[in-house]
Amino acid sequence: MTHADILAKLTALKDEIRRHDNLYYAKDRPEISDTEYDRLFRELIDLERQHPELVTPDSPTQRVGAPPLESLTKVPHEQPMLSLDSIVDQEEVQAFDQRMKRELETQSIEYSAEPKFDGLSVELVYDHGIFTRGATRGDGTTGEDVTVNLRTIRSLPLQLHAKPGIPDHLVVRGEVYMPLDDFQALNRRITERGDDAFANPRNAASGSLRQLDSTITATRPLVVTCYEIMAQSSPVPPTHWDELERMAHWGLPVPTHRRLCASIDEVMDFHRETESIRDQLPYEIDGVVVKVNRRDWQDRLGMKSRSPRWAIAYKFTPRKEITVVQDIAVSVGRTGTLTPVALLKPVEVGGVTISRATLHNADEVARKDIRIGDTVKVERAGDVIPAIAERVPIPGEQRQAPFCMPDHCPVCGSSVAREGAYFYCTGQSVCGAQLKGAIEHFASKHALNIEGLGKKTVAQLVDEGLVKSLADLYRLSKDDLITLDGFADRSATLLLESIAGSKTVSLDRFLMGLGIRQVGQHIAKVLAREFKSLDEIMSADRERLQQIREIGPEISDSLVAYCSEPRNREVIAQLQESGVQITPGLAMGNRATSPLAGKTFVFTGGLDRFTRDEAQRAVETVGARVSSSVSKKTSYVVAGRDPGSKLEQAKTLGVTILTEQEFASLIGEEGKKLS
Ligand code: IVH
């Protein structure tokens, strides 16, 4: 590789890792398994090791974790919250032991071994035995204050046992996670409501703990286990084992399955035994954490930038099974993206039967060289979403030709275009798959909110040829609907009523409904606040759009591209011709005349008469807006049940405080009805 090649490779790796960090830490929406992420990270470490002169201070290897979200209050940790280096091979464990022996100049080291819980780590502060503060790890230096949310977790003691020797000030570290049965039950509840399920228990735990509304956290079955004393005002016990026992003595939950190992061989035994009972445990673990037991030795070994030298995460090999690719199908998404999907001979991996696995994109299929008929290893690395780990070559096998993306869309036959690793169907609304996706999105809750127009009905309408464009929705008759499976006179009337009811729509909801790439609910609102009409938006150029805070080059490019496409202009014109009226501003748009226009509301605590979503819509209906933090500019703080620290802030700043009842009367019952 030339110098330029190495630089390019380093930049690409760093960008990729940062993107996944953001998806994982900030968005709770990881796209790759931990194994895949670890592979990328190791590749970067290796490359940097070979070229230390090219290591930049902003490289993901040079810092601990990722930035916290803006919306929860940030708090600095008393001690940095480190991460752990992970290993999977026995040789690496031996090498770790050798390193410890060399650095400590001894032949005998005691290790403490315990499960590596697959959740999110938290800092817990106890003052005089009372739980006073808790924070997520965040970037390792600064986390998010989730004290009120942590208080809802039953296994977290709010008061420690008043035993002798309890320190005045104590900071412990633990892991918050969700037991598997509870995770499955939660996902069932969520999907029944029509919302998206969590991909795995770790995401469910993280999403539940990092809620702005702690009453939601309280309904989530979270558990905490503590494994480290980070600081205390009296001397810390001499070994990690004593530390765990001390914590248990005070009433803190600590790992019950753990072992004090006299040698690294005993650590290996513990790892093997723990892996063999992994599937019987009620919660997910992904390895064993091995720690040098003596704390004075821990101090002597010290730490690197991201992790301590005295501990290691000895991971389990991800759950893998072997099966055969029976076919490679290509699915078409709402925006026309073609995704190759491997159809597998059904196989059970870690208790779940798997018959499909996404292959992400054409480059991925080529990189892994997966073809129809191949034998492959399927992996479920703590995740519920299965992936193909690798192909298993069979000696003497006759392989089929390499997989090629089709030239024509498998759904509508339109030609396929390429953008980098991605392939798109150019058919847009001609394509049944895209049309169905577009209609579902148009009708969804935060867009035109057409009740009764779910996935199944949309599929019937498109497949029967009754709806060929969004505007056709407004031309449907009762006779059309009654011919469909599952429709009777009353259900047809109801659907027609809700379609008719969507004809007058606010600019933000209409924009959201168009499904323009990069324009989700929030950006739609930003645009609707800035522009008086759809025409103004359609004729705005990139420069004009980028003058708006929150609108960057990607969003403006996407909007301009959408608006300059004649087919899209045609869709909008047809909708308007069929009677859709777009009212300026945000939801219902009587903001100009409302005395509350331009005011800012902050909510704290639980509400009884409104959901948070309803309250937000009610506020927007009158042209005001909701903010998550209190400042001097806040007009009103609405204090519900068990209000949080925002109430105190409001008092200090002299902001008007309303009860829920007062809020309801101020906003008027109209606010609630209209939204
Ligand atoms: S000790 C300084 N012990 O694993 C050492 N970590 O990959 C701090 N984790 O961020 C960590 N179970 O969230 C430790 N028994 C355990 C653990 C554990 C899970 C998590 C922790 C950490 C991650 C590192």
Side-chain angles (χ1 to χ4, degrees):
M1 272 204 278
T2 66
H3 186 76
D5 285 344
I6 295 162
L7 259 183
K9 176 85 196 157
L10 275 170
T11 312
L13 267 173
K14 287 191 275 193
D15 286 348
E16 182 73 357
I17 290 172
R18 284 194 197 105
R19 193 171 77 81
H20 289 300
D21 277 344
N22 177 265
L23 284 167
Y24 184 99
Y25 287 105
K27 302 206 171 121
D28 275 342
R29 199 158 40 75
E31 282 179 4
I32 56 174
S33 69
D34 286 3
T35 325
E36 202 74 42
Y37 179 88
D38 286 351
R39 193 187 60 73
L40 284 173
F41 210 92
R42 269 159 170 261
E43 202 179 328
L44 179 61
I45 291 177
D46 286 346
L47 202 57
E48 287 186 342
R49 230 180 248 148
Q50 290 160 28
H51 305 279
E53 76 286 4
L54 297 180
V55 179
T56 55
D58 65 348
S59 167
T61 58
Q62 302 301 299
R63 63 179 177 133
V64 193
L69 285 177
E70 291 295 340
S71 37
L72 291 166
T73 317
K74 293 180 189 170
V75 276
H77 296 306
E78 298 200 9
Q79 300 277 325
M81 288 180 79
L82 301 175
S83 174
L84 291 174
D85 282 352
S86 46
I87 52 180
V88 276
D89 294 336
Q90 287 204 5
E91 295 84 75
E92 291 176 298
V93 186
Q94 294 288 1
F96 167 72
D97 182 48
Q98 291 302 322
R99 205 160 58 238
M100 296 301 105
K101 287 177 172 157
R102 202 170 49 243
E103 293 194 20
L104 295 169
E105 297 168 322
T106 175
Q107 274 315 303
S108 143
I109 300 178
E110 211 173 40
Y111 292 106
S112 177
E114 64 209 31
K116 181 170 183 304
F117 301 92
D118 199 8
L120 74 155
S121 78
V122 288
E123 175 194 56
L124 308 170
V125 181
Y126 285 87
D127 287 306
H128 303 283
I130 307 288
F131 173 63
T132 47
R133 207 196 71 197
T136 62
R137 175 160 171 267
D139 66 2
T141 313
T142 310
E144 299 151 332
D145 189 331
V146 283
T147 313
V148 277
N149 297 351
L150 282 164
R151 286 210 174 101
T152 67
I153 300 180
R154 297 257 175 102
S155 54
L156 185 137
L158 298 179
Q159 192 166 12
L160 298 181
H161 298 166
K163 295 271 167 61
I166 203 163
D168 288 350
H169 183 67
L170 172 72
V171 186
V172 300
R173 177 168 177 175
E175 197 83 356
V176 170
Y177 53 92
M178 190 177 286
L180 286 163
D181 280 354
D182 293 315
F183 161 69
Q184 265 141 14
L186 172 67
N187 262 355
R188 263 198 306 279
R189 287 207 306 272
I190 291 182
T191 43
E192 271 162 19
R193 258 196 341 240
D195 290 330
D196 289 340
F198 287 108
N200 55 45
R202 187 187 54 231
N203 283 8
S206 171
S208 302
L209 188 65
R210 294 162 73 221
Q211 282 283 341
L212 294 175
D213 181 353
S214 62
T215 56
I216 297 180
T217 315
T219 65
R220 302 284 171 85
L222 296 173
V223 179
V224 70
T225 298
C226 301
Y227 46 70
E228 207 78 42
I229 296 181
M230 286 169 61
Q232 69 173 58
S233 50
S234 48
V236 177
T239 67
H240 179 68
W241 195 261
D242 292 339
E243 200 177 313
L244 292 175
E245 295 202 324
R246 189 77 58 93
M247 286 194 281
H249 185 67
W250 292 329
L252 287 163
V254 297
T256 42
H257 176 74
R258 61 176 196 263
R259 187 172 298 166
L260 188 56
C261 304
S263 68
I264 203 71
D265 289 343
E266 289 189 25
V267 169
M268 307 266 213
D269 290 343
F270 180 74
H271 182 267
R272 205 171 309 115
E273 286 166 32
T274 310
E275 187 161 16
S276 73
I277 60 159
R278 178 185 190 186
D279 288 338
Q280 288 140 18
L281 293 176
Y283 46 82
E284 188 80 281
I285 60 174
D286 59 350
V288 159
V289 181
V290 186
K291 300 171 183 175
V292 169
N293 196 32
R294 273 173 62 168
R295 284 199 72 131
D296 57 339
W297 281 359
Q298 293 182 357
D299 292 342
R300 226 167 98 188
L301 289 158
M303 55 189 241
K304 300 186 278 182
S305 63
R306 286 181 103 227
S307 48
R309 288 208 172 78
W310 46 267
I312 202 96
Y314 182 7
K315 297 259 217 125
F316 298 143
T317 34
R319 296 183 176 107
K320 280 184 193 162
E321 286 306 331
I322 292 189
T323 186
V324 172
V325 178
Q326 291 178 321
D327 200 359
I328 299 180
V330 174
S331 76
V332 186
R334 170 167 76 81
T335 52
T337 318
L338 305 192
T339 306
V341 181
L343 305 183
L344 306 166
K345 182 160 176 255
V347 61
E348 207 186 291
V349 188
V352 177
T353 304
I354 287 164
S355 53
R356 295 163 69 89
T358 172
L359 288 163
H360 302 292
N361 57 51
D363 283 2
E364 176 92 353
V365 187
R367 191 171 67 75
K368 292 186 172 156
D369 188 20
I370 307 289
R371 307 182 192 180
I372 297 171
D374 280 355
T375 300
V376 291
K377 261 190 198 153
V378 189
E379 164 179 298
R380 233 169 40 95
D383 283 3
V384 174
I385 301 165
I388 290 189
E390 61 189 344
R391 177 173 88 82
V392 182
I394 308 286
E397 68 181 327
Q398 289 287 314
R399 298 186 69 203
Q400 300 213 12
F403 169 78
C404 284
M405 279 302 234
D407 298 337
H408 291 94
C409 171
V411 176
C412 70
S414 298
S415 63
V416 164
R418 179 171 192 170
E419 224 182 275
Y422 293 92
F423 288 74
Y424 295 96
C425 159
T426 55
Q428 301 205 358
S429 54
V430 173
C431 177
Q434 290 187 64
L435 180 61
K436 284 175 194 168
I439 299 172
E440 281 166 28
H441 183 79
F442 185 75
S444 66
K445 198 165 80 186
H446 294 293
L448 283 268
N449 194 17
I450 306 178
E451 244 175 87
L453 198 53
K455 214 179 174 77
K456 193 172 148 221
T457 307
V458 171
Q460 285 179 304
L461 290 171
V462 173
D463 293 341
E464 294 299 322
L466 291 171
V467 174
K468 298 197 175 69
S469 76
L470 290 178
D472 285 346
L473 287 174
Y474 297 94
R475 301 194 189 105
L476 286 171
S477 68
K478 200 190 256 179
D479 289 345
D480 292 333
L481 293 180
I482 277 187
T483 60
L484 301 178
D485 209 29
F487 270 90
D489 195 84
R490 187 172 153 68
S491 46
T493 309
L494 285 177
L495 179 55
L496 288 177
E497 276 174 7
S498 60
I499 294 176
S502 74
K503 271 190 174 173
T504 304
V505 58
S506 63
L507 180 53
D508 63 322
R509 281 173 171 266
F510 185 78
L511 275 173
M512 158 82 187
L514 292 177
I516 306 169
R517 267 187 220 157
Q518 311 274 353
V519 182
Q521 201 188 358
H522 179 68
I523 295 299
K525 282 181 187 164
V526 170
L527 289 166
R529 256 184 224 122
E530 182 75 20
F531 293 96
K532 283 197 210 66
S533 69
L534 186 63
D535 285 346
E536 273 187 29
I537 298 176
M538 303 279 290
S539 50
D541 59 18
R542 283 186 181 76
E543 289 65 43
R544 169 69 187 96
L545 290 165
Q546 286 184 36
Q547 282 165 4
I548 306 166
R549 206 164 65 95
E550 302 196 69
I551 304 236
E554 278 185 34
I555 301 176
S556 59
D557 281 358
S558 162
L559 252 171
V560 170
Y562 180 91
C563 297
S564 51
E565 166 65 46
R567 258 200 277 206
N568 295 333
R569 301 184 86 94
E570 179 65 28
V571 169
I572 294 171
Q574 280 180 1
L575 281 167
Q576 288 175 316
E577 273 161 31
S578 51
V580 174
Q581 290 195 16
I582 307 159
T583 57
L586 302 170
M588 304 318 289
N590 51 353
R591 55 193 301 234
T593 52
S594 161
L596 293 171
K599 301 269 193 253
T600 313
F601 285 77
V602 173
F603 290 88
T604 174
L607 302 179
D608 295 321
R609 300 175 53 189
F610 300 80
T611 63
R612 276 287 168 101
D613 233 22
E614 284 169 350
Q616 172 157 2
R617 268 184 274 156
V619 166
E620 285 166 357
T621 299
V622 296
R625 68 183 193 93
V626 174
S627 165
S628 57
S629 56
V630 183
S631 76
K632 277 198 300 242
K633 290 191 191 136
T634 308
S635 321
Y636 302 100
V637 167
V638 182
R641 255 178 297 110
D642 302 326
S645 59
K646 288 175 196 161
L647 180 59
E648 293 310 314
Q649 289 163 352
K651 284 181 187 157
T652 318
L653 294 170
V655 175
T656 310
I657 297 164
L658 303 176
T659 60
E660 183 177 356
Q661 179 59 49
E662 287 165 335
F663 165 70
S665 352
L666 178 70
I667 215 103
E669 280 305 310
E670 275 320 282
K672 188 169 180 188
K673 261 191 265 155
L674 287 174
S675 64

